[in-house]
Amino acid sequence: MNINVIIGIIMILSFLGMVWYCVKGLNLMVGFAVMATFWTVLALVGNAFSPNSAMEGKSFIDVLTYVYADGPAGYAKSILVNVFFGAFFGRVLVDTGIAATLIRKVVELGGDKPRITMGLLCVVTAIIFMSMTGIGPVISIAVIVLPIMLSLGIPAPVALFSFMGSIMAGIFGNIVNFKQYQTIYAGFNPAAEAYTYNDYFKIGVICMVVALVVVLIVSNFFMNKKKSYAWAATPNSASDNAPAISWISVILPVIGVVAFKIPIILGFCLSGIFALITTGKMKGSYSEICRLFAKLFTDGSIDVAPMVGFLLTLSMFNNAATYAAPYFTAILGGFVPQTALLLVITFAVLTPLGFFRGPMNLVGSGTAILAVVVAAIPSAPVAFLFPLFAITTIAPQHLDITQSWVAWGFGYTKVSTKDYMKMSIPTGWIIGVICCIAVFVLYGGLM
């Protein structure tokens, strides 16, 4: 048997082992570091017997440098900075009370009508998470939203699902997440570096709306229609509420990037300053203001610290996947669809494999599949292929029980994973199918 096929089989088996590892909920940062090392060693062994095209002209040290140094360094330059500033902005929205105020106003608008209030809360949550990121802001919003839903008589599984689903919808338009997926994609196709958030924005918003509608339909379907609802509002003093002018801060970063094409980091900074000024938080001496900014940035960094560690080891895995790609291609390359229609059908059908950090999830074990697809159809336009991978990543991952804030939600609401997954897996699949069809309609002609 050909050495490339043997190594390919071993890599596929290890790939399946990684999926199992993710399903078990074990530490992903350590897991991806181990996988990066295992695949690098296998590729080096394979190259000793039969030249690996990805290693051509590279020494042993060059290979190690590419995996363990260039990978994390590339992430630090193009994504980690965005993550930190996004987390800073998220902390501003939480600490100024803007996010909480928006939620309270929505509850006042919905009154004691649980379905309407749930819908309004989900819409606002989705809009908020177009800019916010990190488990800290999620929990800060969750401890406001979830008790309100539960006090309205909404069943705990539905409350948890609808809240997490609305976050997932918002992530479709989230700038930081876009940069994260773009960086992963660019590791296998440099053309992705020219693909901007503005290019993605249209399909991102369409998917956001589709996701929100599907989540609300499923949530309403699972609500107990015979249950009586009652809720007594807790009065809030006017001082608890952020001024109305500050509310626009939630979408200012998106407006800045889409309408004025300003750099996203500048957008986060300007939006954060606007929020602090309009809520009266940016006051005191120069030293006090400096301490405020330092605290907000520090707290934001703490919120995303686990994510950063995971992303750094994921970047090693991504670069190791570059060397593993020829072996995967030797086995799987002939099975990759070559037309837009077949690609869309394949991604739509396989969307559930994005759950549990599976092979259709870019922030999981899916980078190896990305490497194979790009190698098999190098002419595939980024504008067509990128949204497909984004869909099979975002829809399953942010409804998934392996997502950190979803796991936190189980402990907070005492909801069983079984009750939650009855809603989450079918919903993620439906969203994936509809959004993949949208990609075909908009960009299928580019193939």
Side-chain angles (χ1 to χ4, degrees):
M1 187 180 293
N2 187 293
I3 185 66
N4 288 350
V5 174
I6 294 174
I7 292 179
I9 292 172
I10 295 173
M11 285 184 169
I12 289 174
L13 292 175
S14 67
F15 184 79
L16 296 175
M18 187 63 197
V19 173
W20 173 86
Y21 183 94
C22 293
V23 170
K24 296 294 289 184
L26 301 174
N27 188 283
L28 294 176
M29 183 177 70
V30 175
F32 279 106
V34 171
M35 278 294 288
T37 301
F38 184 62
W39 279 11
T40 300
V41 170
L42 278 178
L44 285 168
V45 171
N47 187 57
F49 289 93
S50 177
N52 182 325
S53 58
M55 292 184 177
E56 187 176 354
K58 294 185 177 182
S59 66
F60 175 75
I61 297 300
D62 290 337
V63 171
L64 297 183
T65 300
Y66 181 70
V67 173
Y68 297 103
D70 294 348
Y75 255 59
K77 179 178 68 174
S78 57
I79 176 61
L80 295 185
V81 175
N82 293 286
V83 169
F84 279 123
F85 278 93
F88 157 77
F89 180 66
R91 183 49 58 183
V92 169
L93 292 182
V94 170
D95 288 5
T96 56
I98 292 173
T101 299
L102 283 171
I103 291 167
R104 284 195 293 267
K105 293 300 180 183
V106 162
V107 173
E108 291 173 8
L109 184 63
D112 60 354
K113 298 177 178 62
R115 296 178 189 275
I116 294 176
T117 301
M118 179 180 69
L120 292 173
L121 284 172
C122 287
V123 170
V124 170
T125 299
I127 293 172
I128 288 174
F129 281 94
M130 288 180 73
S131 298
M132 290 176 67
T133 188
I135 188 172
V138 170
I139 293 175
S140 299
I141 301 300
V143 296
I144 301 171
V145 172
L146 291 176
I148 291 172
M149 289 191 183
L150 295 173
S151 66
L152 281 167
I154 297 173
V158 175
L160 180 64
F161 165 76
S162 62
F163 176 68
M164 296 304 173
S166 60
I167 293 175
M168 176 269 294
I171 295 298
F172 270 110
N174 189 285
I175 301 174
V176 173
N177 281 75
F178 166 79
K179 291 294 294 182
Q180 179 183 345
Y181 308 142
Q182 180 200 37
T183 302
I184 294 172
Y185 196 110
F188 302 98
N189 184 357
E193 295 178 0
Y195 182 73
T196 67
Y197 179 76
N198 287 45
D199 299 322
Y200 167 80
F201 184 72
K202 183 177 182 179
I203 187 63
V205 170
I206 290 173
C207 291
M208 175 180 170
V209 173
V210 167
L212 197 54
V213 170
V214 174
V215 165
L216 288 175
I217 290 173
V218 173
S219 297
N220 277 276
F221 177 80
F222 277 89
M223 283 179 67
N224 184 353
K225 297 180 180 180
K226 297 181 180 179
K227 196 175 186 68
S228 60
Y229 302 96
W231 176 65
T234 302
N236 291 292
S237 64
S239 61
D240 290 333
N241 292 324
I245 192 175
S246 68
W247 301 352
I248 195 176
S249 303
V250 172
I251 59 171
L252 272 183
V254 175
I255 293 174
V257 172
V258 175
F260 302 104
K261 296 180 172 57
I262 65 174
I264 182 54
I265 291 176
L266 177 61
F268 281 136
C269 291
L270 293 178
S271 302
I273 292 171
F274 177 82
L276 291 169
I277 291 175
T278 53
T279 55
K281 301 293 184 181
M282 198 163 142
K283 58 186 178 181
S285 66
Y286 176 77
S287 296
E288 289 172 332
I289 292 174
C290 290
R291 283 196 293 271
L292 172 64
F293 275 95
K295 181 180 184 302
L296 290 168
F297 197 88
T298 300
D299 290 346
S301 299
I302 292 171
D303 291 336
V304 297
M307 181 198 302
V308 169
F310 164 66
L311 289 176
L312 289 174
T313 56
L314 177 63
S315 67
M316 298 177 191
F317 177 75
N318 291 345
N319 282 21
T322 301
Y323 296 132
Y327 303 105
F328 276 94
T329 304
I331 297 176
L332 303 176
F335 297 97
V336 176
Q338 299 293 311
T339 67
L341 180 59
L342 288 178
L343 274 171
V344 165
I345 292 173
T346 300
F347 274 77
V349 171
L350 298 182
T351 295
L353 295 182
F355 282 97
F356 309 112
R357 308 278 177 171
M360 298 304 290
N361 190 330
L362 288 180
V363 191
S365 51
T367 50
I369 299 299
L370 172 62
V372 172
V373 173
V374 170
I377 42 175
S379 61
V382 176
F384 173 72
L385 201 53
F386 178 92
L388 291 178
F389 273 104
I391 289 163
T392 58
T393 297
I394 296 171
Q397 179 186 326
H398 294 89
L399 288 173
D400 194 12
I401 62 174
T402 67
Q403 181 66 34
S404 57
W405 50 73
V406 175
W408 170 86
F410 290 135
Y412 183 77
T413 60
K414 310 305 179 187
V415 170
S416 72
T417 57
K418 180 181 178 181
D419 289 340
Y420 176 83
M421 289 170 68
K422 286 179 182 178
M423 294 177 281
S424 65
I425 293 180
T427 299
W429 199 349
I430 293 169
I431 292 169
V433 170
I434 297 173
C435 291
C436 284
I437 293 172
V439 171
F440 179 76
V441 172
L442 290 176
Y443 308 112
L446 298 177
M447 279 286 288

